[in-house]
Amino acid sequence: MQIAQLARTMAAMTLAYYPRTAAENDAVDWAKVSAFAAGGISSSGAGFDFNFTGDGCNSWCH
């Protein structure tokens, strides 16, 4: 569930933060941004605790 919320938050942020000009901003589907954000990490009302924990580079490294 948290992965999906994180993905929706990142999708909303990508759409909202990408425009660099007024024309690009006007082209953004703001209803889609709103829908993604509504299902994002702050939508559940519960705390959101998401972090990566390393294993000393035994299986993976950052």
Side-chain angles (χ1 to χ4, degrees):
M1 178 70 163
Q2 286 185 334
I3 292 287
Q5 289 177 301
L6 181 63
R8 286 189 287 270
T9 296
M10 296 306 294
M13 290 173 63
T14 299
L15 291 172
Y17 292 177
Y18 181 80
R20 298 291 183 246
T21 66
E24 289 176 349
N25 194 53
D26 291 342
V28 173
D29 183 349
W30 292 104
K32 192 175 206 176
V33 173
S34 180
F36 280 137
I41 61 175
S42 63
S43 66
S44 67
F48 188 87
D49 184 16
F50 185 82
N51 60 50
F52 292 97
T53 303
D55 65 355
C57 291
N58 291 317
S59 297
W60 64 277
C61 291
H62 61 284

